[in-house]
Amino acid sequence: MALEIPVDSTTTTTNAAGPNPGEVIVTDNLWKTYVMGDQQVNALRGVNLRIRHSEYVAIMGPSGSGKSTLMNLIGCLDSPSQGRYWLNGHDVSQLNDDELARIRNKEIGFVFQTFNLLARATSLHNVELPLIYNGTPTAERTARAKEVLESVGLGSRMDHKPNELSGGQRQRVAIARALVNRPSIILADEPTGNLDSKTSVEIMALFQELHAKGNTIVLVTHEPDIAEYANRIVTIRDGVVAGDQLSTRNRNQQP
Amino acid sequence: MFFRLLMESFRRQRRRKLLAGIAILLGTTAVTAMLALATTIGDRIHKELAVYGANIVVYPKTDLLDVKIGGVDVKPATGGSYLKESDLAKLRTIFWGNNITGISPELPVQVDATAPSGETLHANGLGLWFDHALTEDAHAQRMGAPALHPWWKLQGIWPHDSDAVVGAGLAAKWKLRIGDRLPVTLSTANGVTSGDARSFALRVSGIVSTGDKTEEQILLPLAMAQTISGLPGAVWRVEVSARTKPEDAFARKDPETLSPKDHDRWYCSPYANSIAFQIREAIPGAQAEQVRRVEQSEGTVLQRISGLMWLVSAAALLAAGFAVSAAMATAILERRGEIGLMRSLGASRSAIALLFYAETGLLAVFAGVVGYLLGSGLAAWLGARIFAGDGGAAEAVLNPVLLPVVVALALAVSIAGSTPSIRSALRMDPSAILRADA
Ligand SMILES: Nc1ncnc2c1ncn2[C@@H]1O[C@H](COP(=O)(O)OP(=O)(O)OP(=O)(O)O)[C@@H](O)[C@H]1O
Ligand SMILES: [Mg+2]
């Protein structure tokens, strides 16, 4: 029962039927068009994608192919120009701003290539931010932020500000921040893009752990050996899904 | 927790906030000063204008017929009936007696005078108080024509006993100088001297220039005029200056038509009308009327001044609004990345809007309170400047009613000023903001 059929999404039947049980991310013919003056850029040109609960998916593709655009749509940071998107079974286009904010806060953890930490705040405060926005009481907030920071190995760096941390440590803070609300989905856009290979391995070990705990992880990367940490590799080219296959490691694990 | 976020946010971008705060501060200072002055300016202007003449005139009742030519009162002096000088002390005993600041009785008398040239010439004399104590006690207020006509310019001294002051016009015509003797006799109404009339040896103690009809008259002490005309204790007309409340619709009501309750309210308000009413009650046979000329010009002046004040206040607030708007635009532009991050971490649009509004609101309240204090000080200082020597300056300081008004204005202005930039920041997609920031 080999699942290794390379799927060409451009030719697959549509996902218009919506999500099946167990699928947390389902997109149907997703388009994103940026208008700049009289120029139109089609960053996405009809993406069909299904991601099941606790999958570990790497998204690869050349620069400018639309990976970050897709991640922003999946993370509800942006809305598609066309097409539909179901997150955890909900049609996102039906949700209002408050509900989307709640989803970003509770169900999704973002990790960015550039970390996006508040420069003037300590690690602890940066990690507390998402808890502040959902009104978690102070004592619980601090306790949870400390716990998560310890779990990413930064127990001794809680009072440091970002400019007092190394790149790898900053990314760990960002990961801790993404995890603090215990989201089921973690979206990481080139989380190791600014890190050396040794630090990258440490960060990937963290994602590995998270996946083992049952989280759904979607990770964008340029590096094939980073992508190999995932179970499944989706390739984007010119705004469409050009390839979708299991990773080598996962394939080898298949009976 | 929101509070902590707010405090943290508030402490940031201090330079921008300082600028916005100063703008609000200046705006509210101006508005407070204007409002504080506007609430007291009526009183003060009235006090200033009150020195420029009477606002109530008292006549004998039978002398009601108005004879006016070109707005000038030409009521004949020989109306036949007179007021009693001894009744005038009653003016200070009426309900609003303490508001009466000046009383000037008049008794015109037609005389024939022998000029230094030896000619016998006809002249109008006018008996007046010059520095009269209304009551016997030592602290009694001194009353008279000079107090009611502060613009009269006198050379020499005001007359006593058988002295007289002549108008500058008459003095020039007759070549009179201070110290000259001026014998007069009573002339009859048609200007023909009756043969047996008694002669009075007046002496010129001063020459006065007044700018009105008294320029051509002989001003003499009231008692002298009464003696010459043979009417002891008689007064023909009394000019009264009173501190009054500006006339409004209620002031013009006929007291007879008011309900007892309204009548009391009318009676106990210091309108010129109600004071005139009380004078009629106090002095039998007197008809008191409000002189509207002064009141009306006061009204116009007040209207113009308060119009100007509103304009200045509105301009100050508008400028503050623009300054806040500019400061907030840059402040929010600087924090776009942070706004994007906040949204990606689950802050809703309304939460972010609330944060920024709370921040400007806090700033506005701070700046508004300080502006209120500064503005009150400014009003006191301005009041002392404009209305020199006015003891009322102290009461203009810290009018507590103005505080909420001013703070509310500051809030309205800063919220209006920051709305455009907050809205534009929220309209942007968080992904675009994060990308731009990267
Ligand atoms: N806000 C925007 N306005 C206009 N065009 C945009 C915008 N964001 C992205 N694009 C365009 O959309 C296309 C896809 O961009 P995207 O960032 O998704 O690429 P990517 O696959 O993430 O590239 P990289 O690997 O370099 O990060 C690009 O051509 C880019 O120029
Ligand atoms: Mg990208």
Side-chain angles (χ1 to χ4, degrees):
Chain A
M1 46 188 294
L3 271 168
E4 54 171 314
I5 324 121
V7 195
D8 188 352
S9 290
T10 48
T11 58
T12 43
T13 49
T14 71
N15 283 342
N20 300 314
E23 289 174 339
V24 287
I25 292 167
V26 176
T27 71
D28 171 44
N29 193 29
L30 220 50
W31 282 71
K32 183 69 190 181
T33 306
Y34 293 108
V35 181
M36 305 187 70
D38 51 1
Q39 222 186 329
Q40 285 201 347
V41 180
N42 290 318
L44 296 181
R45 300 187 296 125
V47 171
N48 293 316
L49 194 62
R50 289 176 184 271
I51 295 174
R52 284 189 316 280
H53 182 68
S54 72
E55 255 191 303
Y56 189 172
V57 179
I59 294 180
M60 295 195 71
S63 184
S65 56
K67 304 182 298 293
S68 296
T69 306
L70 179 60
M71 289 292 265
N72 287 333
L73 292 185
I74 291 176
C76 307
L77 283 176
D78 212 342
S79 45
S81 312
Q82 202 186 309
R84 296 178 79 185
Y85 169 41
W86 290 268
L87 178 70
N88 284 340
H90 299 289
D91 185 346
V92 167
S93 67
Q94 305 294 314
L95 303 176
N96 66 26
D97 184 64
D98 279 344
E99 288 164 330
L100 287 176
R102 196 198 61 79
I103 286 176
R104 286 195 293 265
N105 185 259
K106 283 281 193 189
E107 302 185 21
I108 297 175
F110 285 100
V111 181
F112 307 93
Q113 179 179 355
T114 49
F115 319 137
N116 280 314
L117 300 175
L118 287 188
R120 64 185 191 290
T122 62
S123 309
L124 186 65
H125 186 63
N126 265 297
V127 175
E128 280 182 320
L129 276 179
L131 298 173
I132 289 177
Y133 301 138
N134 65 28
T136 309
T138 314
E140 188 192 339
R141 194 168 73 210
T142 311
R144 261 168 66 186
K146 281 182 174 165
E147 183 192 316
V148 183
L149 273 169
E150 266 155 20
S151 77
V152 299
L154 283 180
S156 57
R157 296 286 188 276
M158 298 208 203
D159 295 324
H160 290 235
K161 294 195 172 159
N163 60 2
E164 299 159 358
L165 297 170
S166 72
Q169 287 168 332
R170 288 183 211 179
Q171 194 58 298
R172 283 163 198 258
V173 174
I175 292 172
R177 184 181 62 191
L179 298 180
V180 75
N181 261 328
R182 301 185 187 116
S184 59
I185 302 169
I186 290 157
L187 303 177
D189 192 350
E190 302 193 47
T192 60
N194 281 343
L195 304 176
D196 61 41
S197 50
K198 180 173 164 285
T199 320
S200 299
V201 170
E202 290 170 17
I203 295 294
M204 290 321 291
L206 259 176
F207 281 107
Q208 206 67 15
E209 250 178 72
L210 291 171
H211 179 233
K213 284 182 189 159
N215 288 295
T216 310
I217 298 177
V218 181
L219 175 144
V220 169
T221 183
H222 277 122
E223 298 154 74
D225 45 333
I226 295 290
E228 277 305 317
Y229 284 87
N231 304 134
R232 175 182 165 196
I233 300 174
V234 172
T235 311
I236 306 277
R237 192 165 282 128
D238 291 332
V240 291
V241 176
D244 191 341
Q245 57 201 144
L246 296 180
S247 62
T248 324
R249 202 175 44 138
N250 205 20
R251 253 178 299 190
N252 294 344
Q253 280 167 11
Q254 297 295 326
Chain B
M1 59 93 204
F2 177 76
F3 187 71
R4 188 178 143 192
L5 209 62
L6 174 63
M7 278 305 147
E8 190 211 85
S9 171
F10 192 68
R11 280 199 301 271
R12 295 178 49 212
Q13 300 180 301
R14 280 185 218 146
R15 278 245 314 278
R16 308 225 175 283
K17 262 157 231 176
L18 195 68
L19 286 180
I22 287 174
I24 301 174
L25 183 83
L26 292 179
T28 48
T29 300
V31 171
T32 310
M34 291 302 145
L35 288 179
L37 281 180
T39 49
T40 55
I41 202 158
D43 284 1
R44 287 142 171 260
I45 287 188
H46 179 75
K47 270 185 211 164
E48 297 269 306
L49 289 183
V51 298
Y52 295 117
N55 49 6
I56 295 171
V57 173
V58 188
Y59 291 105
K61 205 170 221 152
T62 47
D63 203 4
L64 276 177
L65 267 181
D66 261 341
V67 187
K68 282 192 180 162
I69 297 169
V72 177
D73 202 331
V74 291
K75 229 172 264 189
T78 49
S81 54
Y82 294 93
L83 295 169
K84 278 190 278 179
E85 188 182 355
S86 56
D87 279 344
L88 297 186
K90 291 180 188 165
L91 287 176
R92 297 279 289 173
T93 66
I94 65 169
F95 187 84
W96 285 110
N98 286 331
N99 277 29
I100 291 178
T101 54
I103 299 171
S104 175
E106 295 171 6
L107 180 68
V109 51
Q110 309 271 311
V111 295
D112 290 320
T114 312
S117 61
E119 284 176 277
T120 298
L121 295 161
H122 180 78
N124 290 316
L126 189 63
L128 295 169
W129 282 353
F130 292 97
D131 187 24
H132 183 91
L134 204 56
T135 49
E136 299 293 307
D137 68 284
H139 307 291
Q141 219 177 331
R142 317 294 286 190
M143 302 248 179
L148 244 70
H149 306 100
W151 63 91
W152 283 4
K153 279 203 193 69
L154 173 73
Q155 270 181 285
I157 56 165
W158 292 117
H160 292 281
D161 309 325
S162 59
D163 291 345
V165 161
V166 288
L170 192 71
K173 227 187 293 171
W174 290 5
K175 301 193 174 60
L176 283 168
R177 277 173 306 160
I178 296 170
D180 282 351
R181 293 171 53 78
L182 185 65
V184 297
T185 52
L186 180 71
S187 73
T188 55
N190 52 16
V192 179
T193 311
S194 52
D196 58 343
R198 210 179 126 197
S199 178
F200 297 88
L202 298 179
R203 197 184 62 92
V204 178
S205 73
I207 292 167
V208 69
S209 56
T210 62
D212 57 35
K213 61 186 193 311
T214 45
E215 194 92 10
E216 303 294 333
Q217 293 182 350
I218 303 171
L219 310 185
L220 45 154
L222 183 63
M224 193 66 207
Q226 289 163 346
T227 312
I228 294 174
S229 49
L231 297 165
V235 167
W236 171 64
R237 193 181 106 112
V238 186
E239 287 189 335
V240 175
S241 168
R243 274 198 304 271
T244 60
K245 192 173 166 180
E247 191 173 38
D248 51 29
F250 185 60
R252 284 187 285 270
K253 286 254 156 55
D254 180 355
E256 306 300 325
T257 66
L258 292 174
S259 70
K261 196 166 147 251
D262 279 348
H263 184 276
D264 280 357
R265 189 156 70 85
W266 185 87
Y267 193 91
C268 297
S269 302
Y271 295 126
N273 264 342
S274 42
I275 294 176
F277 181 85
Q278 288 158 12
I279 291 176
R280 291 198 291 273
E281 282 181 331
I283 303 180
Q287 174 60 35
E289 280 168 34
Q290 169 176 189
V291 179
R292 281 225 178 71
R293 255 173 314 154
V294 177
E295 294 268 319
Q296 266 164 6
S297 59
E298 255 178 64
T300 332
V301 168
L302 271 181
Q303 240 168 29
R304 290 206 184 132
I305 289 179
S306 63
L308 196 68
M309 285 182 159
W310 285 118
L311 212 67
V312 170
S313 304
L317 283 180
L318 204 68
F322 279 122
V324 169
S325 155
M328 280 304 286
T330 33
I332 286 180
L333 201 68
E334 280 176 2
R335 290 172 70 176
R336 264 174 43 189
E338 190 187 335
I339 293 171
L341 179 66
M342 283 163 86
R343 295 210 38 216
S344 77
L345 296 180
S348 62
R349 279 193 175 93
S350 47
I352 293 173
L354 192 66
L355 178 69
F356 281 105
Y357 277 129
E359 207 182 307
T360 34
L362 203 61
L363 190 69
V365 170
F366 267 144
V369 169
V370 178
Y372 162 76
L373 294 174
L374 279 181
S376 303
L378 183 65
W381 183 81
L382 279 179
R385 281 285 145 127
I386 300 172
F387 306 100
D390 181 349
E395 67 206 40
V397 179
L398 294 189
N399 179 351
V401 181
L402 283 183
L403 180 60
V405 174
V406 167
V407 170
L409 279 175
L411 270 176
V413 161
S414 60
I415 286 175
S418 51
T419 293
S421 32
I422 292 179
R423 284 179 61 117
S424 76
L426 292 180
R427 256 203 311 274
M428 294 195 67
D429 272 317
S431 66
I433 299 175
L434 287 174
R435 204 187 291 251
D437 204 39

